[in-house]
Every structure is written in C-alpha cells, then in structure tokens.
C-alpha cells in the first residue's frame, strides 16, 4: 500500500473540487464548445460525476494500493478520465474529444479507452459483480502458486444506488458467500436518485441486511463530520432529519438554505430556534449537504478503518449534482449546465477563463505541493497494466477414438485426456459450470482435477463408501469452480478468469459449460465479457431439438443467431469428434493470442457415426467455417449444406439424391459466424482494392451460379439461409422455427422437417425452380 503516513485532507479536498470541475468541463466542452457536425446531442452526466468526486478523490489519491482494481460507476467515467488527466496518463486531446471517435469513451472501457481501465462498465450492475469474481480468481491464482502475496490487491466497485436494483448483484453476493470471497470494497454513491427520479424509500434499510446476511461488513457513511456534530447536539433535529424521504431530502437540497429553514421552523418550531440562529441560509444549506460521501475526513476515516480483507459495503450518502446548480433536482440525471452556470462554477473554482484545461490552474502556491505529492503517489499506483499473451504451448489435440460418438461426450473425453497427459495448458485450465457440471460431461475432468475451494471440502459420500462415479471433493488445488444455477454468474466468472492475464499477469484457460438455451439467461453478462476482451471457451451443450425426449423448454433454437451477432465470440458447431478436437485446439490458441477471441462450441448428445477421412484437408476448412464433406462436381446444380448434429440426415440424403442430382455436393458448415464475417470482410476489402474472395465465396463458387442450396440445421433456419445471398444462389432453408415439443428423434425430425424426406422435397422444389 502506498498510503500517506498522514493524510493531507485539504489537498484531497482540493482534488475533489478539481475533479468536479474537470469532469463538468469535459462534458460541457463536448456539448457546448466542440463543433457538432451532425447536430446530435453529445450528452454526459455532470450530476452523476459531481455526486462522487469526493469518493473518488479519497480513493484514488489516498486509499488505493497499487494492486487494487476498480470498476467505476459508468456515469462517473469523466471523473476517472479527470483523475488520469491529473496523473498525466490521459491526454487533453482525448478529453476534448470526449464521446467522439477515438476520444475518451462515454463509459469506462478496457478496450476503447487509452487509460488503464480495470473493468469496463456501462450496463449497470455487471461492473459491480465482476469485481467479486475477479477477487475469486485472485484467490485461485494465489492458491495455485501463480500470484505472490505482495501482488494481491483489493477489488473496488463504485456503485450508483439505483444499480442495486439489478438482480445480478444479489446472484453474485450469494455465490461469493459460498466461496468465502474477500478483499472487496463496494462503495455506494448513495444519492438516492436514479435516472427517472428519486429512488423508492421502501428498500432503504434493507440493502444492508441483505449484504450482512451474505457475510459482508456494512459501513454507513451517512453524515459528514460537521453535520454529525450539529445533529448530535440537537437530537430532535436529527430525528426529524432522519424521517425525511428521499424525495423530500433531494428537493430540499435543490431548494437550498431558505427552504431548510422554513421547513424546520414549520415542523420543529421553537425547539430549533437556537439552532437556526447559528446559521445563515447559505451556511444552513452547506451544513445539510455535509453528507458522508462529500466529507473527506469521513471518507478517509471510513476507508482507513476497513483495513482487513472482510468484504465491505460502504453506503456513502451523497447528493446527485453536489456543488452544481441542479444538485438534488430529480430530473438532473442527464442535466447539463448552461454556459452561464458553467462560468459561475469556473469562477468559484478559481479557474481563469481560457485556462480551463490547465490541470492545477488556480491552486495557490501554498496548496500546490500537497496536491502534487498526492498526485505523484497515486501515479505509481495507477500505472500498472499487464497483458499476458503467448505464454503457453498449445499441444496437438487428437480426436478421441470411436466409430460412434457425440460431440458432447467427445468434449469430456478430450478434457480427460488433456488432464491425464498433464502439462502447462492442462494446469492452466479452470472449468466452471452453473450446476450442470456432470450433465455437460465435465465429470471426468473434475474427478481428475477436483473442485476449487479455499479450504478443504471432503467428499462425504466417498468417505461413507457410497458408490458414485463422481468424486466431489474440493481443495485449494482444485481446478473446477462449481457455481449455483445463475448463468449470469457463469459469464461473469468467465469474464474475470478470462481477464486473468490482464489483471494478474497469468493467463488462465477458462472453460464454462451450460445448457445451450440458457445462454439467454446470462446474455448481457456474456456480451459484457466479450466487450472487455476476456478470453474463454464456452461450451453449450446439449442443444437443439436433437435433445429428443428431454426437449421442451431445454430446446435451443436461436443461439447460433446470437453468436452471429456477438463480436468477440466465435461460434463453432462440430458434427464429428475430430472437428471438435481441432476446434478446441484453435479455441485455446485464440485465448492466448493478442488478436484472438473467445469461442462458443455448440454441442450435442446425439451419438453419430464418424466419417472416414482420407487425409487432413478438411481441417483447415473446418477451422475457417466450412468444408466440402462431399465434393460437388464443377458447376454442380445443387448442394446440401448442413451443420452439427443433423449431419447423418444430410449424408443419407446425399447418398440417396446423388443419382438424381448429378454432381451434388455436401457442404459441412462448422461456423456460420466465421463464414459471415469473412464474407463481409471480403466485401469491405474490395472497396479498398483487395481482390481476395472470402472462404464462403470460394466454397460456393464451385457450384453453378444458379445452383440451389438446401440448408439444414438444428437451429433457426436463418443461421444458414443467408448463404444464398453470397453468390445469389437459391436456398431452401430447413431448420427449427418453433420449439417446446418432446419426442423421439425420428418424430421430431419429421415434424420439424429435418429428415431425409424434407431434404428430398426441398431439393425437388429448388431444382424445379431452377429449371
Ligand atoms: C442495464 C442497464 N439498464 C439501464 C441503464 C440506463 N441507466 C443508466 S444510469 C441509470 C440509473 C442511474 O442511477 P444510479 O445508479 O443511482 O447512478 P447515479 O447517476 O444516480 O449516480 C440507468 C437506469 C443502464 N446503463 N444499464
Ligand atoms: Mg443514484
């Protein structure tokens, strides 16, 4: 820790003011001074920033240690930029270009901002929860000997009070309690305002109870020192103050001293007369705005007192828009000061006109050294930014043997073999699953590598000699993090583990398994993980109506479409075990490559006959998104295009139809996602003079320009129907458009038109159209 021996409270207060000024100015500049080419409102949140400049000054210039990592409330992004501007790590150009292309981002972004952002934020709640999983990853790395004690830190989330409505926060703290997480500070900017208005009072005294019952220490920073002292002297006034609702408090803060006086006179009367005499209106307003989250002494004392590893929730009372003309107004969320108001703030801050960007402008000679000393100390603490890539040798992953296999079973066997063979990759794999470890075939891996628990967890069933195929014991050397059924937590765990190289300098290879349809349960968290460039392998299994009797609400139709639209996530859907092995090898490579990405494997429980390969030529195509499983004749009039578990139907139909349809090809698609990306990239390339056709253009150009394609997929048919647009070929798209029916495979394939008859009929129709 780089904490100062004595705290220069005055210097911290100066920095608080400076952050309030610079964040307001940055937003003002973007909205009122920078030229607008399109007339669109630029926006920004001056009130949300002003609400927490004191908290952030106390944190960044006093409390944070060099290993500590922070998720900043999205709408306080400009305060983070102002801090880095003072530290010298943010440029004036980027601030002048706030919310512009290449400028400081609206909300802190790991990937788009140039300053070191520990966690991206924007979708409220997720930035909060990821800190908990990052702390768990830190414990994991320490337990496995990858992180020295001296490199451990604390994970801090700066939270808007309205964020507390996001359910993912409670899912996270319950999971955290199970894993005994520590080293967390969650600091609520308790301004009791949300976007629309003031927040509901009913939950008021409930949040702390919820956290306490999950093992957290709750520290309420309600009053600043001055207000505390004043209220201690006047118990009646204190009791009255504490009955004010959120809306009343906010309104009074907005109205100011005269309103406070009138209200106190009306409601307390004579008993408050002596008190009111002590203050003029201005002093009265200043007194009542002296809440804990704006009082530097209170913040510093509060942070200093929490010097252990107990997870701590700070409830820091604040006023939204503190120090700005719209402080406390319920509509101030997106409020912007007008130029006159801004000029008044500038004058009040002692900043000269024309000197707005000068970092320490107007700070007197006496105060400067103290301020500069705090900045210097903080600079050291904030500079660290590691990205660890390319450190691990990825071995060749052979396909599991077996004439008949399902991709899901093959996945389990590949992991088992990796575990048995050992080595760096196997040691760095960490698996995780929301209570579907066994049913997604991670069981054998877990038998080998064990559950991760900081303290030993015996396998009671094994001790009692009760027969079970599944060992279930935990230790701090275990490599599987078992989660409760909360898919959002799975993705946040993958996000945190997938950033281990960035956060801790050690790359892990996280693998998460879940049921394919339940991707939707954690979709925003998945998007959040990808947005931050976390790297992991997501294995979603089983999938589609191929579940057969299991069917019902477990069927998944649209995940391939989700993957098609999800940047940073590569979808592969293998039909055969050897494809899967190649894809897993590629996925591991992508995790450890700076230009890589995460991978989503959509697998099936259907055991199918494996194909015979005469050589390895399929492999490159399979990794690129597709290959001819049965070569078409040059200029063939038709092809079957199929993906994943329905490949046996495609192969059988190909056998049956090839007499009638000369030169018929069978294209095995392994990734519509990659094919589509390649297609659009090649188009964009052509606009810049590049001539290289994409993989899918090359594949389809083997057919005649007017050829017909029958596409077949156990998913939404739109996953493949777009292929007709590549070269203008006709498409008959087969797939699943309704879900929820149980049945045998034969019945379901017939009902949903995924069987041989459907392929034959579709082929006949499309060839007829051609003729
Ligand atoms: C998941 C999600 N839903 C909605 C929003 C839109 N939104 C942005 S801020 C906000 C409320 C902000 O209130 P609070 O968290 O208390 O922050 P404050 O500005 O008051 O500090 C909302 C609803 C969002 N960013 N993310
Ligand atoms: Mg709020």
């Amino acid at each position: 820790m780089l904490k100062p021996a004595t705290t220069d409270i005055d210097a911290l207060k100066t920095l608080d003011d400076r952050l309030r000024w610079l964040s307001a100015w940055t937003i003002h500049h973007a909205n009122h001074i920078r030229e607008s080419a399109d007339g669109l409102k630029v926006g920004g949140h001056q009130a949300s920033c002003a609400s927490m400049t004191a908290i952030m000054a106390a944190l960044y210039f006093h409390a944070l240690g060099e290993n500590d990592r922070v998720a900043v409330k999205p709408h306080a992004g400009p305060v983070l930029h102002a801090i880095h501007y003072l530290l010298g790590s943010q440029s004036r150009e980027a601030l002048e270009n706030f919310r512009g292309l290449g400028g400081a981002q609206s909300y802190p972004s790991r990937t788009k901002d140039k300053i070191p952002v520990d966690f991206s934020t924007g979708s409220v709640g997720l930035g909060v929860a990821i800190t908990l999983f990052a702390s768990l990853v830190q414990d994991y790395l320490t337990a496995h000997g990858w992180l020295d004690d001296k490199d451990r830190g604390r994970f801090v989330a700066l939270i808007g009070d309205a964020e507390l409505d996001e359910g993912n926060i409670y899912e996270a703290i319950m999971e955290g309690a199970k894993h005994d997480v520590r080293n967390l500070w969650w600091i609520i900017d308790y301004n009791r305002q949300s976007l629309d208005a003031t927040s509901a009072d009913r939950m008021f005294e409930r949040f702390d109870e919820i956290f306490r019952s999950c093992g957290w220490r709750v520290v309420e920073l309600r009053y600043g020192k001055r207000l505390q002292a004043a209220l201690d002297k006047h118990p009646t006034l204190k009791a009255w103050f504490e009955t004010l609702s959120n809306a009343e408090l906010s309104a009074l803060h907005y109205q100011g001293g005269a309103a406070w006086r009138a209200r106190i006179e009306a409601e307390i009367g004579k008993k408050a007369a002596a008190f009111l005499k002590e203050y003029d209106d201005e002093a009265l307003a200043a007194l009542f705005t002296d809440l804990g989250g704006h009082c530097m002494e209170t913040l510093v004392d509060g942070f200093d007192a929490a010097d252990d590893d107990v997870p701590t929730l700070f409830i820091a009372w604040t006023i939204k828009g503190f120090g700005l003309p719209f402080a406390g107004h319920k509509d101030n969320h997106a409020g912007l000061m007008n130029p006159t108001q801004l000029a008044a703030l500038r004058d009040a801050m002692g900043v000269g006109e024309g000197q707005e960007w000068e970092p320490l402008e107007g700070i007197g000679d006496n105060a400067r050294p103290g301020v500069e000393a705090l900045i210097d100390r903080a600079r050291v603490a904030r500079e660290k930014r590691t990205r660890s890539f390319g450190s691990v040798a990825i071995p060749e992953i052979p396909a599991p043997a077996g004439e008949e296999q399902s991709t899901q079973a093959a996945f389990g066997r590949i992991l088992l073999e990796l575990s048995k063979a050992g080595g760096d990759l196997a040691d760095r794999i960490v698996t995780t699953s929301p209570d579907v470890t066994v049913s997604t075939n991670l069981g054998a891996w877990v038998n080998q590598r064990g559950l991760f628990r900081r303290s030993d967890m015996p396998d009671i069933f094994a001790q009692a000699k009760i027969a079970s195929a599944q060992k279930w014991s935990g230790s701090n050397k275990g490599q599987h993090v078992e989660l409760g059924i909360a898919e959002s937590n799975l993705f946040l765990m993958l996000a945190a583990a997938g950033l281990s190289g960035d956060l801790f300098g050690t790359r892990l290879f996280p693998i998460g398994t879940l049921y394919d349809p339940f991707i939707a349960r954690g979709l925003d968290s998945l998007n959040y993980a990808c947005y931050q460039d976390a790297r992991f392998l997501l294995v979603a299994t089983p999938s589609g109506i191929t579940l057969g009797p299991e069917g019902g609400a477990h069927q998944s139709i649209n995940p391939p479409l989700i993957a098609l639209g999800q940047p940073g996530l590569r979808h592969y859907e293998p039909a055969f075990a050897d494809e899967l092995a190649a894809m897993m090898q590629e996925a591991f490579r992508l995790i450890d490559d700076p230009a890589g990405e995460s991978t989503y494997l959509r697998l099936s429980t259907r055991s199918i006959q494996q194909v015979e390969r005469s050589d390895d030529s399929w492999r490159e195509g399979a990794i690129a998104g597709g290959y001819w499983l049965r070569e078409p004749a040059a200029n063939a009039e038709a092809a079957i295009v199929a993906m994943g578990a329905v490949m046996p139907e495609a192969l059988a139909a190909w056998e049956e139809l090839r007499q009638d349809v000369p030169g018929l090809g069978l294209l095995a698609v392994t990734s519509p996602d990659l094919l589509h990306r390649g297609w659009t990239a090649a188009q964009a390339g052509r606009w810049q003079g590049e001539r290289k056709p994409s993989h899918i253009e090359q594949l389809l150009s083997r057919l005649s320009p007017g050829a017909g394609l029958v596409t077949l997929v156990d998913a939404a048919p739109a996953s493949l129907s777009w292929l007709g647009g590549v070269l203008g070929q006709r498409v008959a798209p087969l797939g699943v458009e309704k879900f929820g029916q149980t049945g045998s495979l034969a019945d379901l394939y017939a009902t949903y038109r995924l069987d041989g008859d459907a392929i034959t009929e579709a082929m006949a129709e499309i060839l007829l159209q051609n003729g």
Side-chain angles (χ1 to χ4, degrees):
M1 290 290 256
L2 289 151
K3 274 189 197 160
T6 56
T7 306
D8 190 340
I9 294 288
D10 286 338
L12 283 173
K13 287 182 182 170
T14 306
L15 284 163
D16 167 14
D17 282 348
R18 189 53 41 142
L19 295 180
R20 195 153 0 100
W21 161 249
L22 280 172
S23 54
W25 169 245
T26 301
I27 296 166
H28 181 80
H29 181 276
N31 284 278
H32 288 278
I33 297 179
R34 192 169 77 217
E35 227 168 281
S36 161
D38 53 16
L40 280 185
K41 177 187 158 210
V42 178
H45 303 86
Q46 289 171 330
S48 302
C49 289
S51 188
M52 66 178 340
T53 50
I55 295 171
M56 288 178 74
L59 202 58
Y60 281 83
F61 296 106
H62 170 70
L64 282 187
E66 61 184 313
N67 299 319
D68 296 349
R69 296 282 174 259
V70 189
V72 175
K73 182 184 79 168
H75 302 76
V79 182
L80 182 66
H81 289 293
I83 289 170
H84 281 278
Y85 186 58
L86 293 178
L87 299 179
S89 41
Q90 178 58 294
S91 69
R92 176 169 162 179
E93 293 71 47
L95 293 189
E96 285 179 337
N97 199 13
F98 172 60
R99 293 185 165 225
L101 186 65
Q105 298 293 297
S106 46
Y107 309 113
S109 168
R110 288 185 56 81
T111 52
K112 309 283 188 304
D113 272 316
K114 310 252 173 353
I115 58 169
V117 171
D118 300 329
F119 301 100
S120 302
T121 51
S123 179
V124 298
L126 298 179
V128 181
I130 194 176
T131 59
L132 183 146
F133 290 97
S135 176
L136 183 57
V137 171
Q138 173 171 266
D139 283 344
Y140 182 94
L141 290 172
T142 307
H144 285 79
W146 276 310
L147 194 69
D148 290 343
D149 277 347
K150 69 173 177 35
D151 294 324
R152 288 169 60 84
R154 183 177 276 140
F155 296 86
V156 181
L158 299 174
I159 312 173
D161 56 324
E163 283 192 69
L164 289 172
D165 284 332
E166 287 289 2
N168 80 277
I169 289 185
Y170 305 97
E171 291 184 353
I173 59 174
M174 285 192 279
E175 193 61 56
K178 294 182 211 163
H179 290 276
D180 193 19
V181 286
R182 31 191 194 150
N183 296 303
L184 287 165
W185 276 7
W186 285 6
I187 306 168
I188 301 173
D189 173 359
Y190 205 50
N191 60 28
R192 293 147 286 109
Q193 282 186 242
S194 58
L195 188 157
D196 284 334
T198 50
S199 24
D201 296 282
R202 290 292 298 272
M203 279 309 292
F204 223 37
E205 302 296 334
R206 293 287 173 268
F207 293 122
D208 47 350
E209 289 171 14
I210 297 172
F211 276 80
R212 279 201 185 96
S213 64
C214 285
W216 287 60
R217 169 173 54 208
V218 179
V219 177
E220 192 171 5
L221 307 176
R222 181 162 188 173
Y223 297 117
K225 300 280 181 198
R226 278 188 315 126
L227 182 55
Q228 180 78 61
L231 294 180
D232 284 349
K233 277 199 272 169
H234 296 280
T236 320
L237 188 67
K238 187 172 186 205
W240 170 81
F241 186 87
E242 294 191 351
T243 60
L244 292 176
S245 68
N246 288 341
E248 286 171 313
L249 255 181
S250 297
L252 283 168
H253 286 313
Y254 177 70
Q255 290 172 304
W260 281 105
R261 186 179 304 281
R263 189 74 190 267
I264 293 169
E265 277 169 353
E267 294 186 17
I268 307 183
K270 279 197 193 107
K271 278 193 190 159
F275 164 79
L276 287 174
K277 255 197 200 133
E278 292 174 45
Y279 301 89
D280 64 15
D281 283 354
E282 202 179 323
L284 204 54
L287 181 71
F288 282 115
T289 52
D290 184 36
L291 299 180
H294 299 306
C295 171
M296 205 49 83
E297 289 91 338
T298 302
L299 287 165
V300 164
D301 286 355
F303 292 156
D304 286 354
D307 205 17
D308 51 21
D309 65 5
V310 178
T312 303
L313 180 78
F314 294 96
I315 303 179
W317 283 60
T318 55
I319 297 160
K320 191 157 173 172
F322 179 75
L324 308 185
F326 39 57
H329 196 294
K330 72 175 176 53
D331 303 335
N332 67 9
H333 184 71
L336 295 175
M337 280 181 277
N338 64 33
T340 314
Q341 293 170 324
L342 195 280
L345 180 71
R346 188 191 58 221
D347 293 346
M349 294 284 176
V351 175
E353 194 173 355
Q355 304 299 307
E356 290 87 350
W357 289 117
E358 285 308 308
L360 300 184
E361 158 71 10
I363 297 175
D365 287 348
N366 287 344
R368 247 176 207 254
V371 170
E372 283 170 351
L374 288 186
I375 291 176
D376 283 346
R377 215 164 15 223
R379 188 173 292 128
V380 183
R382 292 295 92 207
E383 260 172 5
K384 204 165 165 177
R385 187 176 204 179
T386 351
R387 293 213 83 188
S388 167
F389 280 114
S391 49
V392 182
I394 309 293
E396 194 77 22
I397 296 184
E403 279 188 16
E404 281 212 356
Q405 299 188 57
S406 73
T407 47
Q408 175 173 321
F411 163 70
R413 291 174 65 193
I414 288 171
L415 269 188
L416 175 63
E417 292 310 320
L418 261 175
S419 174
K420 283 197 205 150
D424 200 15
L425 174 66
D427 290 345
R428 285 171 190 256
I429 288 176
V430 52
T431 55
T432 181
S433 184
D435 200 23
V436 287
T437 297
V438 177
S439 52
T440 56
N441 277 55
L442 274 180
W445 161 267
V446 174
N447 276 345
Q448 284 262 317
R449 296 277 167 161
L451 299 168
F452 172 68
R453 290 277 161 168
R454 276 207 292 126
S455 32
D456 286 353
M457 183 189 88
D459 185 340
I460 302 291
F461 277 71
Q463 285 177 350
K465 303 217 164 19
I466 300 172
S468 165
Q470 188 64 57
K471 292 185 205 157
W472 207 250
S473 63
S475 77
N476 70 353
K477 291 288 171 279
Q479 283 181 249
H480 175 75
V481 178
E482 177 75 1
L483 301 172
I485 327 166
E487 284 72 15
S488 173
N489 280 341
L490 171 76
F491 292 119
L492 291 170
M493 178 66 204
L494 289 174
L499 289 174
S500 64
D502 306 51
L503 295 172
F504 307 103
T506 297
R507 189 143 290 277
L508 291 174
F509 289 73
I511 302 178
T513 65
L514 86 168
Y515 291 178
D516 199 48
F518 304 134
I519 286 179
R521 282 296 278 265
L523 199 48
D524 197 29
S525 305
L526 170 62
N527 180 49
Y528 178 65
C530 295
Y531 173 62
Q532 310 204 62
D533 200 21
R535 302 292 178 79
F536 51 86
L537 170 58
L538 176 65
V539 182
T541 178
S543 65
I545 63 166
T546 305
L547 290 171
E550 176 74 8
H554 283 46
Q555 291 170 356
S556 67
I557 292 178
N558 61 7
L561 295 180
I562 290 172
L564 205 53
Q566 179 61 59
L569 188 70
R570 176 182 298 196
H571 168 209
Y572 280 130
E573 187 153 340
F576 305 111
D578 55 1
E579 294 173 356
L580 173 69
M583 290 165 185
M584 286 178 69
Q585 192 177 323
E586 178 69 357
F588 291 135
R589 189 190 70 72
L590 290 167
I591 287 174
D592 202 24
D593 178 353
E597 60 184 328
S598 292
T599 301
Y600 153 51
L601 289 171
R602 188 168 184 259
L603 306 185
S604 164
T605 44
R606 184 184 189 194
S607 195
I608 66 170
Q609 183 74 36
Q610 303 295 295
V611 277
E612 280 188 25
R613 310 279 195 191
S614 48
D615 56 37
D616 245 7
S617 58
W618 58 272
R619 195 181 165 100
E620 202 182 323
I623 291 303
Y627 64 97
W628 286 109
L629 183 57
R630 296 288 180 259
E631 294 280 338
N635 279 318
E637 286 304 319
I640 300 170
V641 181
M643 176 164 82
V646 288
M647 203 56 79
E649 279 62 35
L651 274 164
W654 180 84
E655 282 292 348
E656 203 175 302
L657 291 171
R658 68 189 172 125
Q659 309 299 343
D660 300 331
V661 187
L664 179 70
L666 170 54
L667 182 65
V669 170
T670 51
S671 175
D673 178 26
L674 277 187
L675 295 181
H676 198 283
R677 283 195 230 174
W679 178 40
T680 52
Q683 277 180 342
R686 279 197 280 279
W687 301 330
Q688 288 153 15
E690 283 170 30
R691 290 267 149 249
K692 196 170 178 319
S694 63
H695 184 53
I696 188 60
E697 286 167 311
Q698 290 179 31
L699 288 169
L700 293 178
S701 61
R702 301 272 302 276
L703 307 172
S704 88
L709 308 174
V710 173
T711 61
L712 181 73
V713 60
D714 184 359
S719 316
L720 293 181
S721 61
W722 62 270
L723 289 170
V726 176
L727 299 179
Q729 290 155 335
R730 284 169 204 281
V731 175
L734 300 178
V736 187
E737 281 168 305
K738 292 191 182 129
F739 76 103
Q741 185 75 261
T742 53
S744 70
L745 261 199
D747 287 346
L748 288 177
Y749 280 7
T751 306
Y752 290 94
R753 289 180 49 80
L754 291 179
D755 62 356
D757 287 351
I759 299 172
T760 307
E761 281 164 23
M763 187 61 76
E765 189 174 298
I766 208 155
L767 288 177
L768 230 89
Q769 283 173 10
N770 272 2

